[in-house]
Amino acid sequence: MSSSPSPSPRYPTRPLPAGRQTEFGLLRQALDRCVAGTGGVAVLHGSVGSGRSEMLYALADLAAAQGVQVLVGTGSPLEREFPLGLARQVLQSADLDPEEAATAERLLAAGAAESAAAGGFEGGSGQLGQATLEGLFCLVRTLAERAPVLIAVDDRQDADSQSLEFLLYLVRRTRSAPVLTVLSSRETMTPPLPFFEVELARQPHHRHVRLELLSGEQVAQLFRERFGAAAAERWAAEAHALTGGNPLLVHALMDDQERAARAALAGQAAGSGLDVATAVTASASAAAGPGLVAGEGYRRGLMHCLHRIDPLALRCARGVAVLGSAARPELLAELLLLVPDSVTRASYLLHAAGLFVDGGFRHPTAAGDLLAALRPGELARLHRRAAELLGREGAPAEQVAEQLRAAEGQLRSPWAVTAAGES
């Protein structure tokens, strides 16, 4: 390196996600080694809503403040079929001179052409030629000769296979170079490219950092820091029960308490002198005050998590919403026409994200909120099939009748009538 890195104003500083000091410390150690001249790769892994993105960008802020060159990219299901789309994002975020930018464009175009004629990467056979891979690597190595480099990739599970091939080629060759690659990935039913996972884990400078759900004490600390000891004492246990320690849902619940306090203040006489934070604390301290409010923020957060989770897990959650207390794994598999192993894995993901407990939703409104997004005809078919399956196994007549009434209600809904008229 020609000179030591100097601070960069490129990224504003942001706070470290609460309760993640240990995990962030592991990433910071890898960054310190990178600044000192030793490369590495870290995988940041967690369920939906675990705060992976926040931690990744907090690391990027820290790196930029130390003068590290930060290259970023984000995977997307909509761009998974675009060869080298993620690699293009990463290189476009780099400070390349005009000649280097032209070289990058030429290599990316060549790589896209090569991938169109090549076999799949999943089995270990590459889609990119040696010259393309080496050329892209040399661009990053040239950047690292100027200052340490952090490559921060979010939602790696949705990256195109050609970009992953390039990243793996890069990781293998940067152990003695100041390049740190951090790949954030969400837990899914099955990794889309198992070969990539295996090869990455074999690297001697590989580090795996998993974000677990927050503990009850960590949730209490969040309430304590935001609203005071009384709020933590009164609401933390209930908040942990409603969220399972999912950070996104915990913060959504805390936002709901502020909204409820703001609404209560708006109904009071002017000049009460209370601000929102004080009103929340007063509500928590009151012996006969309202309980924890699980409002629109919590419900939107839950729907966000469910629709961001693996598609099969979302399908499983809908089946549970239809069957209710009758949602045993075997019956759920028959309802959704899935093999039992798929239901088992989907259930694991829903529990691991804190969205389910004991096989069902943590909040009574969740099932209705989830089914409200389905078309009436599709939901009616699910209820009818549930009635058929329940009747076949000898369930109580009222359970079967409830499913049939739900199906009939969907077919009589205004949306269903309108759809039938339009068809």
Side-chain angles (χ1 to χ4, degrees):
M1 265 176 291
S2 58
S3 61
S4 60
S6 58
S8 167
R10 185 175 176 184
Y11 289 84
T13 57
R14 70 189 78 197
L16 171 68
R20 300 302 194 190
Q21 288 78 7
T22 299
E23 295 89 343
F24 191 75
L26 297 175
L27 295 178
R28 184 164 187 168
Q29 290 173 10
L31 179 62
D32 290 342
R33 288 194 296 271
C34 173
V35 172
T38 302
V41 57
V43 172
L44 183 59
H45 194 63
S47 60
V48 62
S50 60
R52 293 172 296 102
S53 297
E54 291 84 350
M55 181 168 292
L56 183 68
Y57 291 113
L59 181 71
D61 291 347
L62 176 63
Q66 296 180 7
V68 174
Q69 302 174 88
V70 179
L71 282 55
V72 296
T74 302
S76 168
L78 299 178
E79 299 182 15
R80 193 181 295 155
E81 301 306 316
F82 296 165
L84 289 172
L86 180 67
R88 182 179 295 276
Q89 288 184 53
V90 168
L91 291 173
Q92 285 177 342
S93 67
D95 187 16
L96 301 175
D97 63 33
E99 183 178 350
E100 291 167 341
T103 299
E105 187 59 38
R106 175 180 57 79
L107 290 167
L108 291 168
E114 290 166 353
S115 68
F121 175 60
E122 184 171 357
S125 58
Q127 295 179 302
L128 304 178
Q130 175 71 21
T132 299
L133 290 168
E134 186 65 19
L136 293 171
F137 161 67
C138 287
L139 282 173
V140 177
R141 185 180 59 189
T142 299
L143 286 172
E145 290 171 353
R146 302 171 190 164
V149 173
L150 168 65
I151 299 177
V153 174
D154 201 11
D155 284 336
R156 197 278 308 156
Q157 77 283 341
D158 292 324
D160 62 279
S161 61
Q162 297 84 4
S163 293
L164 295 181
E165 184 180 356
F166 158 61
L167 289 173
L168 188 55
Y169 188 92
L170 178 72
V171 164
R172 286 168 173 158
R173 287 157 177 79
T174 51
R175 185 179 183 185
S176 59
V179 178
L180 172 62
T181 303
V182 180
L183 307 171
S184 166
S185 63
R186 184 177 69 250
E187 194 163 21
T188 59
M189 293 280 285
T190 303
L193 292 171
F195 173 77
F196 177 81
E197 303 284 343
V198 171
E199 284 297 300
L200 203 63
R202 290 180 60 232
Q203 303 310 307
H205 50 314
H206 169 271
R207 180 178 287 275
H208 184 269
V209 180
R210 178 172 177 80
L211 298 183
E212 304 288 354
L213 296 174
L214 300 176
S215 67
E217 177 51 39
Q218 287 173 318
V219 172
Q221 183 61 27
L222 289 177
F223 271 80
R224 195 175 297 118
E225 291 173 354
R226 188 160 172 180
F227 302 128
E233 178 68 24
R234 182 165 187 180
W235 290 332
E238 185 181 356
H240 190 262
L242 280 174
T243 65
N246 181 299
L248 187 150
L249 296 182
V250 173
H251 285 283
L253 266 183
M254 293 195 294
D255 291 342
D256 280 340
Q257 309 323 301
E258 286 197 348
R259 276 188 285 268
R262 192 173 290 112
L265 284 176
Q268 294 179 4
S272 64
L274 291 178
D275 59 18
V276 172
T278 305
V280 173
T281 301
S283 176
S285 302
L292 187 71
V293 177
E296 285 303 309
Y298 171 81
R299 295 170 73 172
R300 283 195 302 269
L302 183 57
M303 291 304 107
H304 172 85
C305 288
L306 285 168
H307 285 91
R308 284 275 292 164
I309 206 168
D310 189 279
L312 272 178
L314 172 60
R315 188 175 168 188
C316 181
R318 286 172 175 156
V320 171
V322 167
L323 288 171
S325 60
R328 299 185 313 280
E330 300 81 5
L331 189 62
L332 192 59
E334 283 197 71
L335 174 68
L336 301 175
L337 303 177
L338 296 172
V339 297
D341 284 349
S342 293
V343 171
T344 301
R345 177 63 179 166
S347 178
Y348 162 76
L349 290 180
L350 290 163
H351 285 81
L355 309 181
F356 268 29
V357 62
D358 297 332
F361 296 96
R362 290 179 175 272
H363 193 273
T365 65
D369 289 344
L370 183 58
L371 295 181
L374 289 179
R375 293 183 178 182
E378 181 181 357
L379 184 52
R381 285 191 293 272
L382 280 173
H383 281 300
R384 282 175 171 172
R385 179 162 175 77
E388 177 187 347
L389 293 173
L390 287 168
R392 186 189 305 167
E393 69 171 20
E398 180 54 33
Q399 273 192 346
V400 177
E402 183 180 353
Q403 293 290 343
L404 292 174
R405 285 194 296 269
E408 186 67 21
Q410 288 298 316
L411 294 177
R412 290 180 177 179
S413 71
W415 285 10
V417 172
T418 301
E422 292 175 348
S423 63

